[in-house]
């Protein structure tokens, strides 16, 4: 004979025990299904009440409902307690440190190669005792050309090379009257203000702001009306200026040699070739010995090295001894050409980066294609 079905009292008692024994929200869910689910003994019993003799139906139905309600209440209470316990445990163990880097960190990006290169160049010159200055990209013709000894017909002054700002009849601020007796500057309405074509205007601005000796470099954006594989309308330069007593071309050569060796390798040599700039005298173009062929001009396969075009030398910048006429514009700040002299140089940051990293086209720097930029991520 099969066991008699458990009584309601037994079902309720067993239910209370199961609820109390459940140790997790997963377990309590199992218990709920076992006690009150569709196949639970209590549910089966309720469904069979109609089979009972009529006089028992009322009492059994009431007691079954009571037992069900009690178990449901106990389940809700125990479930809430277990959820709270589990939350407390998670809060204690999964503490989130909001100051940690985001996830995934690789999506953070990196410094642009031009920025990296600029910083490396700055580091070299700061190590040599130069200060880093910045200056305006929108510049007066006075600083960009006049004070830099550009003769009136100089091609760089012309519209084909220079972006002049138009739209205002007078510049926002008049350039200072040339204090050192240089040619007076007559404001020429809208052609008086331009996007600087080089960082050299900061030579005069820096000297206006500080008496000699001065050792500064000036990184920044420059603009010319030019666009092809090796020219973009906006590009970056680093200017260098050193004025002191007894500075010679040999100091320029020594500083640039230290620079070349830091950036392009300890084996590098530098070579100065005569050149012309309006604001330096003498002027030079500076080459470094080719870091690919070691200065031989010969490629590993015996042919001509393509990087230096077989010459063994690569041009990296323009430089020279600051022209006394330029110092004349800041003579009242102590730049007496009979007492102080010095050198200046200017280099393109893009050119340095292209040489070092074998970048074939200047425009890649400014197209913002992450496939290009990410190669230099660090
Ligand atoms: N400003 C010159 C250029 O852009 C470079 C230069 C700077 C040359 C300083 C001499 C001295 O070509």
């Amino acid at each position: 004979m099969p066991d008699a079905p458990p009584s309601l009292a037994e079902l309720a008692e067993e239910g209370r025990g199961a609820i109390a024994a459940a140790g997790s929200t997963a377990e309590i869910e199992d218990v709920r299904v076992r006690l009150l689910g569709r196949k639970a003994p209590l549910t089966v019993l309720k469904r069979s009440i109609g089979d009972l003799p009529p006089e028992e139906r009322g009492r059994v139905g009431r007691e079954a409902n009571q037992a069900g309600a009690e178990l449901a209440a106990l389940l809700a209470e125990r479930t809430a307690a277990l959820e709270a316990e589990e939350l407390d445990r998670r809060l204690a163990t999964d503490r989130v440190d909001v100051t940690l880097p985001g996830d995934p960190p690789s999506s953070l990006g990196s410094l642009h190669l031009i920025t990296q290169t600029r910083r490396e160049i700055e580091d070299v010159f700061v190590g040599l005792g130069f200060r880093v200055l910045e200056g305006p990209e929108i510049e007066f013709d006075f600083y960009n050309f006049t004070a830099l000894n550009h003769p009136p017909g100089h091609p760089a002054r012309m519209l084909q090379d220079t972006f002049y700002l138009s739209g205002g009849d007078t510049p926002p601020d008049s350039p200072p009257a040339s204090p050192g007796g240089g040619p007076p500057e007559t404001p020429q309405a809208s052609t008086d203000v331009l996007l600087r074509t080089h960082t050299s205007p900061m030579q005069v601005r820096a000297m206006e702001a500080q008496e000699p000796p001065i050792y500064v470099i000036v990184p920044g954006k420059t603009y010319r009306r030019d666009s092809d594989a090796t020219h973009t309308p906006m590009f970056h330069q680093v200017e260098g200026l050193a004025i002191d007593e007894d500075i010679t071309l040999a100091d320029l050569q020594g500083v640039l040699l230290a620079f070349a060796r830091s950036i392009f390798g300890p084996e590098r040599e530098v070579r100065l070739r005569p050149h012309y700039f309006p604001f330096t005298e003498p002027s030079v173009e500076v080459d470094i010995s080719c870091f690919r062929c070691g200065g031989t001009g010969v490629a590993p396969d015996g042919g001509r090295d393509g990087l230096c075009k077989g010459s063994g030398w690569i041009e990296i910048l323009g430089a020279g001894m600051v022209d006394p006429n330029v110092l004349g514009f800041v003579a009242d700040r102590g730049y007496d050409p009979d007492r102080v002299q010095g050198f200046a140089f200017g280099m393109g940051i893009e050119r340095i980066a292209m040489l070092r990293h074998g970048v074939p086209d200047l425009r890649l720097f400014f197209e913002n294609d992450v496939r290009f930029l990410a190669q230099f991520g660090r």
Side-chain angles (χ1 to χ4, degrees):
M1 193 178 147
D3 287 344
S7 71
L8 263 170
E10 282 166 345
L11 283 178
E13 188 52 36
E14 193 215 309
R16 281 183 214 107
I19 290 167
S24 69
T25 50
E27 277 178 36
I28 197 80
E29 175 58 14
D30 286 346
V31 171
R32 189 191 64 76
V33 171
R34 218 168 67 224
L35 298 182
L36 301 179
R38 274 189 307 117
K39 292 178 191 153
L42 187 63
T43 313
V44 173
L45 185 145
K46 279 184 183 170
R47 229 183 278 130
S48 64
I49 284 174
D51 303 337
L52 293 174
E55 64 278 12
E56 286 186 29
R57 288 180 197 163
R59 179 185 59 82
V60 175
R62 227 175 7 258
E63 284 176 9
N65 282 340
Q66 262 168 17
E70 184 202 340
L71 292 180
L74 287 173
L75 277 167
E77 199 179 301
R78 184 78 186 127
T79 302
L82 287 169
E83 278 173 356
E85 259 174 46
E86 286 176 13
L87 180 63
D88 281 348
R89 222 173 302 131
R90 270 206 310 281
L91 287 175
T93 54
D94 308 354
R95 230 174 258 157
V96 176
D97 181 349
V98 293
T99 66
L100 286 175
D103 183 21
S106 61
S107 68
L108 281 176
S110 60
L111 292 178
H112 194 283
L113 182 58
I114 295 299
T115 306
Q116 291 180 28
T117 308
R118 171 175 61 72
R119 290 189 179 182
E120 284 172 51
I121 296 169
E122 286 172 5
D123 282 351
V124 174
F125 285 104
V126 166
L128 291 169
F130 287 73
R131 250 173 352 108
V132 181
L133 280 188
E134 287 184 31
E137 292 167 31
I138 298 174
E139 185 54 281
F140 292 116
D141 173 285
F142 173 81
Y143 289 107
N144 198 84
F145 293 131
T146 306
L148 290 174
N149 213 23
H150 275 72
H154 195 281
R157 288 190 97 118
M158 291 174 191
L159 271 172
Q160 301 93 290
D161 289 316
T162 305
F163 289 107
Y164 287 95
L165 299 189
S166 56
D169 279 348
T170 44
D173 202 356
S174 286
S178 53
E185 177 67 353
T186 320
Q188 287 175 3
S190 54
T191 56
D192 212 30
V193 178
L194 44 78
L195 297 182
R196 65 179 177 190
T197 58
H198 49 181
T199 42
S200 301
M202 276 303 287
Q203 289 184 24
V204 178
R205 283 186 181 273
M207 289 189 284
E208 280 178 351
Q210 185 198 321
E211 293 174 359
I214 186 170
Y215 293 85
V216 292
I217 59 161
V218 187
K221 291 189 170 70
T222 49
Y223 302 84
R224 287 182 205 174
R225 292 167 74 110
D226 244 344
S227 193
D228 59 38
T230 53
H231 299 86
T232 48
M234 186 280 299
F235 57 105
H236 298 78
Q237 287 191 337
V238 177
E239 193 79 8
L241 176 72
I243 307 281
D244 204 336
E245 294 176 14
D246 301 323
I247 291 203
T248 71
L249 202 62
D251 296 307
L252 170 66
Q253 177 150 16
V255 163
L256 294 178
L257 182 62
F259 164 75
R261 291 184 173 173
S262 305
I263 297 289
F264 292 102
E267 257 84 75
R268 297 288 70 72
E269 296 296 337
V270 299
R271 175 176 85 168
L272 310 189
R273 277 182 293 110
H275 195 68
Y276 171 76
F277 295 103
F279 41 94
T280 45
E281 180 60 35
S283 301
V284 292
E285 273 190 332
V286 179
D287 300 337
I288 58 167
S289 56
C290 180
F291 49 86
R292 199 157 78 184
C293 65
T296 61
V298 182
D301 66 0
R304 196 183 76 141
D305 181 25
L307 186 62
C308 61
K309 302 191 183 73
S311 74
W313 295 97
I314 302 172
E315 185 199 320
I316 54 161
L317 57 86
M321 299 305 287
V322 174
D323 193 304
N325 288 350
V326 175
L327 297 181
F329 282 90
V330 284
D332 70 331
R333 296 294 282 143
Y335 292 87
D336 172 2
D338 291 331
R339 196 176 63 80
V340 294
Q341 61 288 122
F343 60 78
F345 58 84
M347 71 179 92
I349 301 182
E350 283 82 358
R351 180 160 175 75
I352 304 289
M354 286 171 88
L355 286 170
R356 278 184 86 191
H357 300 280
V359 178
D361 190 322
L362 184 62
R363 292 168 291 201
L364 284 166
F365 286 123
F366 309 117
E367 283 167 354
N368 283 340
D369 185 333
V370 267
R371 289 170 303 178
F372 171 74
L373 297 175
Q375 294 175 55
F376 309 103
R378 55 158 128 130

